């Protein structure tokens, strides 16, 4: 996966807004330490963690990135560590998983997949460990960010999957992805 690699990154505006808001809330919590130390300490811990994550998302080049190669794709977490490495010919089904966005719980739709080998990981986030969406479809993992218009991302993945499966002489993925909002 080193030659023809396309890297999908979260939009800079979202990452910048998250980092700015978390740093501002951390500063407010530090200021509040002088007035209500016990309550403000909780704010410092919570917003300090958010500020570290927000700055890491801005600075680290692979934070929440997805690398699309000719044979498969890799997803990375907020610190740029590899979470999934999935070959295209192992994908059995594509679907949508709801993640949390700026408009509230379940407001961001992420592309999810189910593998033929059913490789699932352990982790705190559903996009890492897999699960079940609202339609009852099981998935083994999802992309960490929507990355823009779903139709373009799905078309790109379907082209790669069909090419990989045609190269091996297998039938294409069993079902086309469902992109309805739930």
């Amino acid at each position: 996966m080193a030659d023809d690699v396309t890297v999908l990154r979260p939009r800079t505006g979202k990452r910048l807004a998250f980092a700015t808001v978390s740093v501002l809330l951390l500063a407010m919590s530090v200021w509040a330490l002088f007035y209500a130390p016990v309550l403000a300490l909780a704010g410092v811990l919570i917003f300090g963690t958010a500020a570290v994550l927000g700055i890491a998302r801005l600075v680290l080049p692979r934070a929440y990135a997805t690398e699309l190669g000719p044979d498969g794709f890799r997803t990375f977490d907020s610190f740029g560590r590899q979470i999934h490495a999935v070959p295209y010919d192992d994908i059995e089904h594509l679907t949508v998983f709801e993640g949390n966005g700026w408009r509230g719980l379940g407001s961001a739709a992420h592309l999810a997949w189910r593998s033929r080998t059913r490789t699932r990981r352990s982790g705190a986030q559903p996009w890492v460990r897999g699960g079940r969406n609202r339609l009852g479809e099981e998935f083994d993992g999802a992309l960490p960010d929507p990355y823009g218009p779903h139709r373009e991302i799905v078309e790109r993945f379907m082209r790669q999957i069909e090419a990989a499966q045609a190269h091996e002489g297998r039938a294409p993925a069993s079902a086309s992805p469902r992109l309805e909002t739930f």
Side-chain angles (χ1 to χ4, degrees), residues 25-36 40 44:
L25 290 171
L26 175 63
M28 289 171 51
S29 297
V30 169
W31 182 261
L33 281 172
F34 296 109
Y35 300 103
V44 168

Side-chain angles (χ1 to χ4, degrees), residues 21-31 43-45 47-49 51-52:
V21 169
S22 59
V23 168
L24 287 174
L25 290 171
L26 175 63
M28 289 171 51
S29 297
V30 169
W31 182 261
V44 168
L45 293 174
F47 298 123
T49 303
V52 167

Side-chain angles (χ1 to χ4, degrees), residues 93-99 108-113 132-135 137 139 142 150 154 177-182:
H93 181 69
L94 292 176
T95 187
V96 173
F97 160 70
E98 285 185 330
H110 301 265
L111 183 64
W113 68 87
R132 201 180 284 268
N133 66 10
R134 288 193 186 185
L135 295 175
E137 298 173 327
F139 60 94
H150 289 315
V154 169
R178 292 187 181 185
L179 297 177
E180 302 97 8
T181 55
F182 306 115

